[in-house]
Amino acid sequence: MGNKITIQNDQLNVPNQPIIPVIMGDGIGPDVMRAMRLVLDAAVAQAFGGQKSIEWLEVLAGEAAFARHQEWLPAATLEAIKEHVVAIKGPLTTPIGGGIRSLNVTIRQELDLYACVRPVRYFEGVVSPVKRPQDIDLIIFRENTEDVYSGIEWKSGTPEADKVIEFLRQELGANIRPGSGIGIKPVSAFGTQRLVKKAIEYAIRQHKPSVTLMHKGNIMKYTEGSFKEWGYQTAREYFPETTVSEQEVAEKYGGKIPDGKILIKDRLADSMFQQVLLRPTEYSVIATPNLNGDYISDACAAQVGGLGLAPGANISDHVAVFEATHGTAPKYANKNMANPGSVILSGVMLFDYLGWRSAGQLITDALAKTIQQKIVTYDLERQMNGATKVGTREFAEAIIKNL
């Protein structure tokens, strides 16, 4: 029997046999999650000589939950994640025709998982649409609770939309066409500061050279423009000894970043898409509001082979849910075909979060070796010359062999 992870002195206290809630997910979820568990269990056994292990606790969400309880996201599942602090999940379907807008969004909001963390790196041998995919090695911190995720919308032609338009025109002098759909996107100092703080803390721990604030503040001056200003303010107030802005480098240090300082810079969102293609080595940590983060994380993943190898996590101050970043792909469900790489690498992030970095490094190295051996699932095999196509479980077994 395992033991619960606890929080002591603002830090995780991780037992040798932690209980980790797991949501198997919908569509290809069960296939990739079973493969993930095989790999993670094998890596822990090898890294720690049998002294540590994971006690998996299956909890329900999505189609399995609805079939059993007539609920897409039972309260007991959210409570289990809170109680055990760390969890991992497969992809979940989005209910059609009302109810919860998105199960993934609901989990993030209910647990206040305010940072969506998406690392992007290249594995040698994966076919990429860019010439030098190895140049991209960065991590994106996407604000997870505000912006469009907590946005309010009113459909064109509804009494609510007409009322809002009338108020904006009459009371505030806004020039809005009649019949418009209306949306509001909130961005707060509180939400921005805690997200940027987490990004800078990561940069300090991992010895990263810079944190870039990605925004569209030239147009949305009081939401995304404020995100930029609050981001710089966070760096000045919380990390004055370890950070320096681009402006300070130019004005005080003759254009040279002082030794031991992390550079805080900002880029417009449209420019950022060019930058990660043309000058990716200049970026290591990106902090951004929600919608920008959605776009840039998938775009960066495409440069290194796609979402099949893109891990992700949703993290609060302590509670964290690691997840596959791709969808449910129902036409491949139960066919032992899907690439489990995304959720396996999310498991590596989970190990890093627990402080079990040696087990995570074993997996990363073994996955890289397996791809170099051209033993891959169908999505990679169809792009590679001379590759051996294997199923989901067989891919996991090949990784375990290379541990």
Side-chain angles (χ1 to χ4, degrees):
M1 292 292 292
N3 298 289
K4 295 177 184 177
I5 295 169
T6 57
I7 300 165
Q8 295 180 343
N9 299 321
D10 210 35
Q11 300 292 323
L12 296 191
N13 178 36
V14 182
N16 285 342
Q17 285 78 38
I19 301 170
I20 305 291
V22 56
I23 297 171
M24 298 300 283
D26 301 323
I28 61 172
D31 281 351
V32 299
M33 294 298 282
R34 283 191 292 266
M36 176 274 298
R37 288 167 61 168
L38 286 174
V39 173
L40 265 62
D41 286 340
V44 170
Q46 182 158 328
F48 303 114
Q51 297 301 306
K52 296 183 179 182
S53 63
I54 297 173
E55 183 75 22
W56 300 104
L57 173 65
E58 186 170 345
V59 294
L60 298 179
E63 292 171 354
F66 193 79
R68 187 174 301 183
H69 301 296
Q70 296 300 297
E71 291 182 272
W72 292 101
L73 183 60
T77 294
L78 293 172
E79 194 56 41
I81 296 172
K82 289 181 189 176
E83 185 179 345
H84 295 89
V85 185
V86 174
I88 189 165
K89 60 177 282 295
L92 291 171
T93 191
T94 297
I96 297 173
I100 294 174
R101 179 165 61 178
S102 163
L103 292 174
N104 293 322
V105 172
T106 302
I107 289 170
R108 295 165 189 173
Q109 291 181 333
E110 289 293 324
L111 298 175
D112 196 27
L113 305 173
Y114 59 83
C116 179
V117 183
R118 295 278 298 272
V120 184
R121 58 151 291 179
Y122 177 66
F123 287 94
E124 184 180 347
V126 174
V127 175
S128 166
V130 299
K131 291 181 178 179
R132 293 187 55 81
Q134 65 271 26
D135 286 351
I136 193 163
D137 184 6
L138 55 80
I139 187 164
I140 298 154
F141 283 76
R142 168 195 181 197
E143 207 291 320
N144 223 4
T145 63
E146 298 189 331
D147 193 9
V148 295
Y149 264 18
S150 60
I152 306 167
E153 289 188 305
W154 293 278
K155 186 178 179 180
S156 168
T158 61
E160 294 83 1
D162 291 342
K163 186 174 183 179
V164 172
I165 290 171
E166 184 66 15
F167 171 79
L168 292 173
R169 294 178 67 179
Q170 294 295 326
E171 299 294 327
L172 301 176
N175 183 19
I176 301 175
R177 291 190 181 97
S180 294
I182 297 293
I184 295 175
K185 54 173 283 179
V187 175
S188 73
F190 173 79
T192 298
Q193 288 172 341
R194 65 180 181 173
L195 184 278
V196 173
K197 186 178 179 183
K198 189 172 283 290
I200 296 174
E201 288 171 344
Y202 175 87
I204 293 170
R205 285 196 312 273
Q206 300 297 325
H207 308 288
K208 298 294 184 180
S210 69
V211 174
T212 303
L213 307 169
M214 175 185 173
H215 63 92
K216 191 59 178 169
N218 60 330
I219 303 299
M220 291 175 278
K221 300 181 187 300
Y222 306 121
T223 51
E224 302 213 5
S226 294
F227 178 91
K228 179 192 77 169
E229 297 303 326
W230 290 325
Y232 279 120
Q233 179 184 349
T234 301
R236 289 193 303 269
E237 289 186 3
Y238 291 94
F239 309 98
E241 302 301 319
T242 52
T243 64
V244 63
S245 70
E246 273 189 320
Q247 183 177 352
E248 289 172 324
V249 169
E251 295 177 354
K252 297 181 181 180
Y253 300 104
K256 180 176 173 57
I257 302 170
D259 290 341
K261 294 278 191 176
I262 295 170
L263 180 66
I264 308 298
K265 52 189 175 180
D266 72 276
R267 297 290 183 270
L268 293 175
D270 44 352
S271 172
M272 196 71 221
F273 281 90
Q274 286 195 80
Q275 294 292 302
V276 296
L277 283 167
L278 300 176
R279 306 166 78 171
T281 58
E282 295 182 12
Y283 301 92
S284 53
V285 180
I286 298 172
T288 186
N290 183 273
L291 187 58
N292 295 336
D294 200 3
Y295 294 152
I296 196 69
S297 57
D298 280 17
C300 288
Q303 292 181 225
V304 297
L307 293 179
L309 291 171
N314 301 287
I315 302 173
S316 68
D317 290 338
H318 300 294
V319 176
V321 178
F322 299 83
E323 65 178 352
T325 58
H326 52 71
T328 58
K331 71 177 181 178
Y332 296 115
N334 304 311
K335 293 183 178 179
N336 193 41
M337 291 178 63
N339 184 351
S342 172
V343 75
I344 288 172
L345 289 170
S346 297
V348 171
M349 294 180 71
L350 184 155
F351 282 162
D352 288 347
Y353 197 69
L354 298 183
W356 293 9
R357 291 181 177 83
S358 58
Q361 192 61 53
L362 280 176
I363 294 172
T364 301
D365 293 344
L367 177 60
K369 184 176 180 180
T370 305
I371 292 172
Q372 289 169 18
Q373 292 169 338
K374 296 189 176 182
I375 302 171
V376 291
T377 48
Y378 82 96
D379 57 314
L380 298 178
E381 181 268 342
R382 63 187 176 184
Q383 303 178 61
M384 299 166 66
N385 292 324
T388 300
K389 181 172 69 173
V390 295
T392 308
R393 182 182 179 92
E394 289 73 28
F395 184 61
E397 290 170 345
I399 294 170
I400 292 168
K401 186 177 179 181
N402 284 323
L403 286 173

